[in-house]
Amino acid sequence: MAEVVEREEVTLQKLKTMMADFAKERDWDQFHSPRNLLLAMVGEVGELSEIFQWKGEVPRGLPDWKDEEKQHLGEELSDVLLYLVRLADICGIDLGKAVLSKLELNAKKYPVKLCKGSSRKHTEISCCEDDFNENGGKEDPTK
Ligand SMILES: Nc1ccn([C@H]2C[C@H](O)[C@@H](COP(=O)(O)OP(=O)(O)OP(=O)(O)O)O2)c(=O)n1
């Protein structure tokens, strides 16, 4: 890529621009269609999965992994992120805006008081009184 971004300066916006430049310089816009990018991203998720395949559960921070293995992991995570950023761009989705909205939605779906210490899906969380509407029906916390 033409420009090297300092670590602390990385933003979704910069990654989007760098991927757009990367594709343009190579005349690869023709290949970066939504479907192609989605398949490329899923392929990279597969490569990411392969790193963990057959290892069983591994401790957080991967203390026993070699530097090369961690570097490889960083590369595959990056491939997934780069294709995701590019896919969002090509689809006209503002990923920064979308991800902040999604976090807000997640917080509504999973209120701390109902979810703390539980990994249950939001559809299985029993509603508190506030979540019932005047008809006695269950409010969808996501609406
Ligand atoms: N048409 C393409 C091909 C590649 N890339 C970029 C995005 C990814 O970050 C990386 C993917 O490159 P490879 O397909 O070579 O995949 P890997 O880097 O995983 O290499 P390998 O499959 O040999 O492990 O390059 C891209 O934007 N558009």
Side-chain angles (χ1 to χ4, degrees), residues 38-53 72 76-77 79-80 83:
L38 173 62
L39 292 176
M41 185 181 77
V42 171
E44 296 299 342
V45 170
E47 289 185 35
L48 178 60
S49 306
E50 261 185 75
I51 297 178
F52 290 90
Q53 199 174 338
H72 184 204
E76 299 307 343
L77 287 166
D79 285 335
V80 174
Y83 277 133

PDB file of all heavy atoms in Angstrom, residues 38-53 72 76-77 79-80 83:
ATOM      1  N   LEU A  38     -17.420 -10.547  -0.390  1.00  0.00           N
ATOM      2  CA  LEU A  38     -17.993 -11.388   0.672  1.00  0.00           C
ATOM      3  C   LEU A  38     -17.328 -12.765   0.666  1.00  0.00           C
ATOM      4  O   LEU A  38     -16.916 -13.277   1.717  1.00  0.00           O
ATOM      5  CB  LEU A  38     -19.511 -11.525   0.478  1.00  0.00           C
ATOM      6  CG  LEU A  38     -20.195 -12.514   1.416  1.00  0.00           C
ATOM      7  CD1 LEU A  38     -20.040 -12.091   2.865  1.00  0.00           C
ATOM      8  CD2 LEU A  38     -21.667 -12.653   1.066  1.00  0.00           C
ATOM      9  N   LEU A  39     -17.204 -13.348  -0.539  1.00  0.00           N
ATOM     10  CA  LEU A  39     -16.586 -14.686  -0.621  1.00  0.00           C
ATOM     11  C   LEU A  39     -15.119 -14.638  -0.194  1.00  0.00           C
ATOM     12  O   LEU A  39     -14.629 -15.547   0.492  1.00  0.00           O
ATOM     13  CB  LEU A  39     -16.711 -15.236  -2.048  1.00  0.00           C
ATOM     14  CG  LEU A  39     -18.147 -15.568  -2.479  1.00  0.00           C
ATOM     15  CD1 LEU A  39     -18.181 -16.002  -3.937  1.00  0.00           C
ATOM     16  CD2 LEU A  39     -18.740 -16.651  -1.587  1.00  0.00           C
ATOM     17  N   ALA A  40     -14.427 -13.561  -0.581  1.00  0.00           N
ATOM     18  CA  ALA A  40     -13.027 -13.423  -0.175  1.00  0.00           C
ATOM     19  C   ALA A  40     -12.938 -13.330   1.348  1.00  0.00           C
ATOM     20  O   ALA A  40     -12.060 -13.942   1.976  1.00  0.00           O
ATOM     21  CB  ALA A  40     -12.416 -12.186  -0.826  1.00  0.00           C
ATOM     22  N   MET A  41     -13.862 -12.585   1.941  1.00  0.00           N
ATOM     23  CA  MET A  41     -13.833 -12.437   3.403  1.00  0.00           C
ATOM     24  C   MET A  41     -14.115 -13.777   4.097  1.00  0.00           C
ATOM     25  O   MET A  41     -13.424 -14.153   5.042  1.00  0.00           O
ATOM     26  CB  MET A  41     -14.862 -11.390   3.844  1.00  0.00           C
ATOM     27  CG  MET A  41     -14.798 -11.119   5.326  1.00  0.00           C
ATOM     28  SD  MET A  41     -16.020  -9.926   5.858  1.00  0.00           S
ATOM     29  CE  MET A  41     -17.478 -10.945   5.875  1.00  0.00           C
ATOM     30  N   VAL A  42     -15.094 -14.495   3.575  1.00  0.00           N
ATOM     31  CA  VAL A  42     -15.416 -15.797   4.177  1.00  0.00           C
ATOM     32  C   VAL A  42     -14.226 -16.751   4.035  1.00  0.00           C
ATOM     33  O   VAL A  42     -13.913 -17.511   4.956  1.00  0.00           O
ATOM     34  CB  VAL A  42     -16.705 -16.383   3.534  1.00  0.00           C
ATOM     35  CG1 VAL A  42     -16.930 -17.819   3.969  1.00  0.00           C
ATOM     36  CG2 VAL A  42     -17.913 -15.526   3.900  1.00  0.00           C
ATOM     37  N   GLY A  43     -13.536 -16.665   2.890  1.00  0.00           N
ATOM     38  CA  GLY A  43     -12.327 -17.475   2.701  1.00  0.00           C
ATOM     39  C   GLY A  43     -11.281 -17.150   3.763  1.00  0.00           C
ATOM     40  O   GLY A  43     -10.642 -18.046   4.320  1.00  0.00           O
ATOM     41  N   GLU A  44     -11.145 -15.871   4.051  1.00  0.00           N
ATOM     42  CA  GLU A  44     -10.164 -15.468   5.069  1.00  0.00           C
ATOM     43  C   GLU A  44     -10.617 -15.900   6.472  1.00  0.00           C
ATOM     44  O   GLU A  44      -9.781 -16.241   7.314  1.00  0.00           O
ATOM     45  CB  GLU A  44      -9.917 -13.956   5.021  1.00  0.00           C
ATOM     46  CG  GLU A  44      -9.287 -13.454   3.729  1.00  0.00           C
ATOM     47  CD  GLU A  44      -7.910 -14.031   3.422  1.00  0.00           C
ATOM     48  OE1 GLU A  44      -7.254 -14.573   4.326  1.00  0.00           O
ATOM     49  OE2 GLU A  44      -7.499 -13.960   2.248  1.00  0.00           O
ATOM     50  N   VAL A  45     -11.916 -15.893   6.705  1.00  0.00           N
ATOM     51  CA  VAL A  45     -12.419 -16.401   7.998  1.00  0.00           C
ATOM     52  C   VAL A  45     -12.053 -17.880   8.115  1.00  0.00           C
ATOM     53  O   VAL A  45     -11.681 -18.359   9.193  1.00  0.00           O
ATOM     54  CB  VAL A  45     -13.951 -16.187   8.132  1.00  0.00           C
ATOM     55  CG1 VAL A  45     -14.493 -16.924   9.352  1.00  0.00           C
ATOM     56  CG2 VAL A  45     -14.277 -14.706   8.233  1.00  0.00           C
ATOM     57  N   GLY A  46     -12.118 -18.589   6.982  1.00  0.00           N
ATOM     58  CA  GLY A  46     -11.714 -20.005   6.965  1.00  0.00           C
ATOM     59  C   GLY A  46     -10.238 -20.148   7.333  1.00  0.00           C
ATOM     60  O   GLY A  46      -9.866 -21.002   8.138  1.00  0.00           O
ATOM     61  N   GLU A  47      -9.404 -19.284   6.741  1.00  0.00           N
ATOM     62  CA  GLU A  47      -7.959 -19.340   7.043  1.00  0.00           C
ATOM     63  C   GLU A  47      -7.706 -19.012   8.516  1.00  0.00           C
ATOM     64  O   GLU A  47      -6.837 -19.605   9.164  1.00  0.00           O
ATOM     65  CB  GLU A  47      -7.188 -18.369   6.155  1.00  0.00           C
ATOM     66  CG  GLU A  47      -7.133 -18.815   4.697  1.00  0.00           C
ATOM     67  CD  GLU A  47      -6.264 -17.909   3.831  1.00  0.00           C
ATOM     68  OE1 GLU A  47      -5.245 -17.393   4.321  1.00  0.00           O
ATOM     69  OE2 GLU A  47      -6.612 -17.719   2.658  1.00  0.00           O
ATOM     70  N   LEU A  48      -8.492 -18.071   9.025  1.00  0.00           N
ATOM     71  CA  LEU A  48      -8.381 -17.713  10.444  1.00  0.00           C
ATOM     72  C   LEU A  48      -8.770 -18.912  11.319  1.00  0.00           C
ATOM     73  O   LEU A  48      -8.087 -19.230  12.300  1.00  0.00           O
ATOM     74  CB  LEU A  48      -9.321 -16.518  10.705  1.00  0.00           C
ATOM     75  CG  LEU A  48      -9.447 -15.970  12.110  1.00  0.00           C
ATOM     76  CD1 LEU A  48      -8.098 -15.486  12.629  1.00  0.00           C
ATOM     77  CD2 LEU A  48     -10.450 -14.820  12.123  1.00  0.00           C
ATOM     78  N   SER A  49      -9.832 -19.581  10.926  1.00  0.00           N
ATOM     79  CA  SER A  49     -10.297 -20.747  11.687  1.00  0.00           C
ATOM     80  C   SER A  49      -9.251 -21.858  11.700  1.00  0.00           C
ATOM     81  O   SER A  49      -9.070 -22.550  12.702  1.00  0.00           O
ATOM     82  CB  SER A  49     -11.596 -21.304  11.095  1.00  0.00           C
ATOM     83  OG  SER A  49     -12.550 -20.294  10.992  1.00  0.00           O
ATOM     84  N   GLU A  50      -8.585 -22.009  10.543  1.00  0.00           N
ATOM     85  CA  GLU A  50      -7.559 -23.069  10.439  1.00  0.00           C
ATOM     86  C   GLU A  50      -6.472 -22.925  11.499  1.00  0.00           C
ATOM     87  O   GLU A  50      -5.913 -23.917  11.975  1.00  0.00           O
ATOM     88  CB  GLU A  50      -6.884 -22.990   9.061  1.00  0.00           C
ATOM     89  CG  GLU A  50      -7.429 -23.970   8.058  1.00  0.00           C
ATOM     90  CD  GLU A  50      -6.615 -23.899   6.776  1.00  0.00           C
ATOM     91  OE1 GLU A  50      -5.488 -24.418   6.763  1.00  0.00           O
ATOM     92  OE2 GLU A  50      -7.097 -23.295   5.810  1.00  0.00           O
ATOM     93  N   ILE A  51      -6.185 -21.685  11.866  1.00  0.00           N
ATOM     94  CA  ILE A  51      -5.124 -21.446  12.861  1.00  0.00           C
ATOM     95  C   ILE A  51      -5.504 -22.081  14.206  1.00  0.00           C
ATOM     96  O   ILE A  51      -4.657 -22.549  14.946  1.00  0.00           O
ATOM     97  CB  ILE A  51      -4.860 -19.929  13.019  1.00  0.00           C
ATOM     98  CG1 ILE A  51      -4.342 -19.358  11.700  1.00  0.00           C
ATOM     99  CG2 ILE A  51      -3.886 -19.643  14.153  1.00  0.00           C
ATOM    100  CD1 ILE A  51      -4.083 -17.857  11.728  1.00  0.00           C
ATOM    101  N   PHE A  52      -6.809 -22.073  14.475  1.00  0.00           N
ATOM    102  CA  PHE A  52      -7.277 -22.614  15.769  1.00  0.00           C
ATOM    103  C   PHE A  52      -7.714 -24.079  15.677  1.00  0.00           C
ATOM    104  O   PHE A  52      -7.926 -24.732  16.699  1.00  0.00           O
ATOM    105  CB  PHE A  52      -8.459 -21.771  16.283  1.00  0.00           C
ATOM    106  CG  PHE A  52      -8.057 -20.387  16.728  1.00  0.00           C
ATOM    107  CD1 PHE A  52      -8.056 -19.327  15.844  1.00  0.00           C
ATOM    108  CD2 PHE A  52      -7.660 -20.152  18.037  1.00  0.00           C
ATOM    109  CE1 PHE A  52      -7.684 -18.047  16.252  1.00  0.00           C
ATOM    110  CE2 PHE A  52      -7.283 -18.877  18.464  1.00  0.00           C
ATOM    111  CZ  PHE A  52      -7.300 -17.829  17.562  1.00  0.00           C
ATOM    112  N   GLN A  53      -7.836 -24.535  14.426  1.00  0.00           N
ATOM    113  CA  GLN A  53      -8.357 -25.881  14.208  1.00  0.00           C
ATOM    114  C   GLN A  53      -7.527 -26.946  14.934  1.00  0.00           C
ATOM    115  O   GLN A  53      -6.301 -26.915  14.872  1.00  0.00           O
ATOM    116  CB  GLN A  53      -8.327 -26.151  12.697  1.00  0.00           C
ATOM    117  CG  GLN A  53      -9.220 -27.263  12.249  1.00  0.00           C
ATOM    118  CD  GLN A  53      -9.215 -27.333  10.716  1.00  0.00           C
ATOM    119  OE1 GLN A  53      -8.892 -26.365  10.042  1.00  0.00           O
ATOM    120  NE2 GLN A  53      -9.553 -28.458  10.184  1.00  0.00           N
ATOM    121  N   HIS A  72       1.047 -14.767  12.241  1.00  0.00           N
ATOM    122  CA  HIS A  72       0.125 -15.337  11.262  1.00  0.00           C
ATOM    123  C   HIS A  72      -1.325 -15.002  11.628  1.00  0.00           C
ATOM    124  O   HIS A  72      -2.127 -14.599  10.786  1.00  0.00           O
ATOM    125  CB  HIS A  72       0.344 -16.856  11.194  1.00  0.00           C
ATOM    126  CG  HIS A  72      -0.470 -17.548  10.154  1.00  0.00           C
ATOM    127  ND1 HIS A  72      -0.785 -18.877  10.226  1.00  0.00           N
ATOM    128  CD2 HIS A  72      -1.075 -17.098   9.038  1.00  0.00           C
ATOM    129  CE1 HIS A  72      -1.526 -19.218   9.189  1.00  0.00           C
ATOM    130  NE2 HIS A  72      -1.727 -18.155   8.442  1.00  0.00           N
ATOM    131  N   GLU A  76      -4.159 -12.938   9.390  1.00  0.00           N
ATOM    132  CA  GLU A  76      -5.486 -13.438   8.986  1.00  0.00           C
ATOM    133  C   GLU A  76      -6.603 -12.551   9.550  1.00  0.00           C
ATOM    134  O   GLU A  76      -7.599 -12.297   8.873  1.00  0.00           O
ATOM    135  CB  GLU A  76      -5.679 -14.899   9.419  1.00  0.00           C
ATOM    136  CG  GLU A  76      -4.691 -15.892   8.809  1.00  0.00           C
ATOM    137  CD  GLU A  76      -4.605 -15.846   7.278  1.00  0.00           C
ATOM    138  OE1 GLU A  76      -5.510 -15.282   6.629  1.00  0.00           O
ATOM    139  OE2 GLU A  76      -3.615 -16.357   6.729  1.00  0.00           O
ATOM    140  N   LEU A  77      -6.428 -12.079  10.781  1.00  0.00           N
ATOM    141  CA  LEU A  77      -7.414 -11.145  11.343  1.00  0.00           C
ATOM    142  C   LEU A  77      -7.478  -9.882  10.472  1.00  0.00           C
ATOM    143  O   LEU A  77      -8.568  -9.345  10.207  1.00  0.00           O
ATOM    144  CB  LEU A  77      -7.033 -10.763  12.780  1.00  0.00           C
ATOM    145  CG  LEU A  77      -7.250 -11.840  13.850  1.00  0.00           C
ATOM    146  CD1 LEU A  77      -6.521 -11.466  15.145  1.00  0.00           C
ATOM    147  CD2 LEU A  77      -8.740 -12.040  14.136  1.00  0.00           C
ATOM    148  N   ASP A  79      -6.732  -9.617   7.257  1.00  0.00           N
ATOM    149  CA  ASP A  79      -7.393  -9.903   5.976  1.00  0.00           C
ATOM    150  C   ASP A  79      -8.912  -9.822   6.131  1.00  0.00           C
ATOM    151  O   ASP A  79      -9.604  -9.250   5.279  1.00  0.00           O
ATOM    152  CB  ASP A  79      -6.998 -11.302   5.468  1.00  0.00           C
ATOM    153  CG  ASP A  79      -5.580 -11.330   4.905  1.00  0.00           C
ATOM    154  OD1 ASP A  79      -5.087 -10.284   4.466  1.00  0.00           O
ATOM    155  OD2 ASP A  79      -4.973 -12.423   4.923  1.00  0.00           O
ATOM    156  N   VAL A  80      -9.412 -10.394   7.216  1.00  0.00           N
ATOM    157  CA  VAL A  80     -10.866 -10.368   7.448  1.00  0.00           C
ATOM    158  C   VAL A  80     -11.335  -8.920   7.600  1.00  0.00           C
ATOM    159  O   VAL A  80     -12.316  -8.492   6.983  1.00  0.00           O
ATOM    160  CB  VAL A  80     -11.247 -11.195   8.700  1.00  0.00           C
ATOM    161  CG1 VAL A  80     -12.728 -11.039   9.023  1.00  0.00           C
ATOM    162  CG2 VAL A  80     -10.908 -12.674   8.498  1.00  0.00           C
ATOM    163  N   TYR A  83     -11.167  -6.957   4.188  1.00  0.00           N
ATOM    164  CA  TYR A  83     -12.262  -7.290   3.270  1.00  0.00           C
ATOM    165  C   TYR A  83     -13.606  -6.784   3.819  1.00  0.00           C
ATOM    166  O   TYR A  83     -14.475  -6.367   3.056  1.00  0.00           O
ATOM    167  CB  TYR A  83     -12.317  -8.804   3.026  1.00  0.00           C
ATOM    168  CG  TYR A  83     -11.348  -9.285   1.958  1.00  0.00           C
ATOM    169  CD1 TYR A  83     -10.533 -10.395   2.172  1.00  0.00           C
ATOM    170  CD2 TYR A  83     -11.267  -8.654   0.716  1.00  0.00           C
ATOM    171  CE1 TYR A  83      -9.647 -10.850   1.195  1.00  0.00           C
ATOM    172  CE2 TYR A  83     -10.388  -9.092  -0.266  1.00  0.00           C
ATOM    173  CZ  TYR A  83      -9.586 -10.196  -0.031  1.00  0.00           C
ATOM    174  OH  TYR A  83      -8.719 -10.632  -1.014  1.00  0.00           O
TER     175      TYR A  83
END
